[in-house]
Amino acid sequence: MSLIERIESPGQKRMLAIDGGGIRGVLALSILQRIEDILKAQSGREEFRLADYFDYIAGTSTGGIIAAGLSIGMSVRDVLQFYLKNGAQMFERASLLQRLRYKFESEPLARQLKSVFRADTQLGSDRLQTLLLLVMRNASTDSPWPLSNNPYAKYNDPGRPDCNLQLPLWQLVRASSAAPSYFPPEVISLPSQNNAPGRQFIFVDGGVTMYNNPAFQMFLMATVDRYWLRKPEARWNAGADNMLLVSVGTGTSADVRTGLNPDQMNLLFDATTIPSALMFAALNEQDLLCRVFGRCLAGDPIDRETGDLIGSGGPLATTQKLFTYLRYNAELTRCGLDDLGCNDVNPATVQKLDSISGIPDLQKVGEQVAKLRVSPAHFAGFPAKSRSRPVFQ
């Protein structure tokens, strides 16, 4: 089945979103392994991949690496092995002079992405078996860029000289994961137009947009006709029985500062705390929107006021919910880790975005989330399909 046939086929649609979070993507992969195991058992096919089940996969930053890997038909185990094998190389320290601008070199990560996705694979490649959404921020235009391979999107028209489908997949993934102060930005050149030189844009990590958790944005891009401009009738129909949205996090850790003195809040304090605070707030906002407008079956409490909203009507009656929603994540605080039975895991180790030494603990936390919170019953209304498609390597 071609991508276009899959997009336009009737029936239920399944979507998967993966948060950003650096090396903490390992935590998300441990949760995804449980999901893949459940769906593989349902399908009865040993060669089953998540790309066989999910029709649309979205990711930001490290979530973009995972999403792209899953979309080309990699198993969760294969993507995890990529992180375990190459994690240390991806976080190779920059020279002392460059560390005033960023901590890590970009070339090792770029080299690994090229090896996985191949340098000649474009966003419009038929190697992608699902719709794919990658989120990045265009620093040149000061705007978020959620890019998908939807063939009916306005800027995916093959007749356009600047068609986004011609952009290298590895470079878009690298741009989405170019976290400011961690990695240098990614420069992407668009094709020339009318004999004029092509434009260059500077991209940084999509985590510094409102879509570090890209779940609700993916829902919008699947259902709003403007994102299907060239064939709006092909957009997907919302409905709790029509659409499943699974959102997987990489762990959260609110930075509580008991006893904070107002005099401590200077320019340096703001520069080092405001970006992460905004990212945390945006992540929760996307999650809250999904729980309000979707029929939520799984998810930890968002806060002490709203709770988890599982089974809550909100402003919509049950019959009016726009999709069925599952959220899996972990709170990487002492209390949150203890609740998971991870009493021997140091929060300071697993909270860091670049903690290579914390990979085993991140796996342990993710496996506990998977064991305690991911249930086959969550997928009962959206059983695995029996279709078989080629898995590209």
Side-chain angles (χ1 to χ4, degrees), residues 30 65 80 96 150 161 278 303 310 336:
S30 297
I65 298 176
L80 178 58
L96 288 175
N150 183 346
L278 291 176
D303 55 43
I310 294 175

Side-chain angles (χ1 to χ4, degrees), residues 123-143:
L123 180 62
S125 169
D126 60 7
R127 292 188 69 215
L128 290 168
Q129 302 173 22
T130 73
L131 285 181
L132 173 67
L133 169 62
L134 298 172
V135 181
M136 59 210 73
R137 177 177 176 271
N138 189 331
S140 301
T141 62
D142 193 23
S143 59

Side-chain angles (χ1 to χ4, degrees), residues 127-322:
R127 292 188 69 215
L128 290 168
Q129 302 173 22
T130 73
L131 285 181
L132 173 67
L133 169 62
L134 298 172
V135 181
M136 59 210 73
R137 177 177 176 271
N138 189 331
S140 301
T141 62
D142 193 23
S143 59
W145 268 41
L147 292 185
S148 85
N149 60 333
N150 183 346
Y152 302 128
K154 178 178 180 178
Y155 292 100
N156 288 349
D157 183 351
R160 296 180 63 101
D162 58 348
C163 175
N164 287 334
L165 295 181
Q166 301 173 16
L167 297 174
L169 178 62
W170 76 265
Q171 199 172 23
L172 295 176
V173 174
R174 160 73 181 90
S176 179
S177 55
S181 79
Y182 284 88
F183 292 102
E186 183 71 17
V187 179
I188 296 181
S189 300
L190 298 184
S192 59
Q193 303 180 52
N194 301 322
N195 297 321
R199 299 180 64 188
Q200 282 191 337
F201 293 113
I202 300 174
F203 290 95
V204 295
D205 196 310
V208 294
T209 70
M210 291 297 291
Y211 314 123
N212 189 52
N213 171 354
F216 197 71
Q217 178 64 20
M218 177 174 57
F219 164 73
L220 294 176
M221 293 181 72
T223 57
V224 175
D225 56 4
R226 297 298 294 182
Y227 290 112
W228 300 74
L229 189 64
R230 297 174 48 243
K231 194 174 182 179
E233 66 272 19
R235 67 183 176 86
W236 295 350
N237 294 320
D241 294 325
N242 298 333
M243 187 172 287
L244 172 68
L245 198 168
V246 180
S247 176
V248 179
T250 59
T252 60
S253 55
D255 196 358
V256 178
R257 299 177 180 84
T258 304
L260 177 66
N261 190 312
D263 292 337
Q264 296 174 272
M265 302 180 67
N266 50 35
L267 288 176
L268 180 60
F269 176 90
D270 290 342
T272 56
T273 60
I274 287 179
S276 61
L278 291 176
M279 289 170 63
F280 181 69
L283 182 151
N284 280 341
E285 178 71 4
Q286 290 274 310
D287 189 14
L288 178 60
L289 287 171
C290 287
R291 298 191 196 211
V292 169
F293 291 101
R295 178 175 63 192
C296 183
L297 302 184
D300 295 335
I302 293 178
D303 55 43
R304 283 180 287 185
E305 182 172 19
T306 57
D308 57 25
L309 294 179
I310 294 175
S312 173
L316 301 178
T318 301
T319 56
Q320 296 174 315
K321 292 293 186 176
L322 302 179

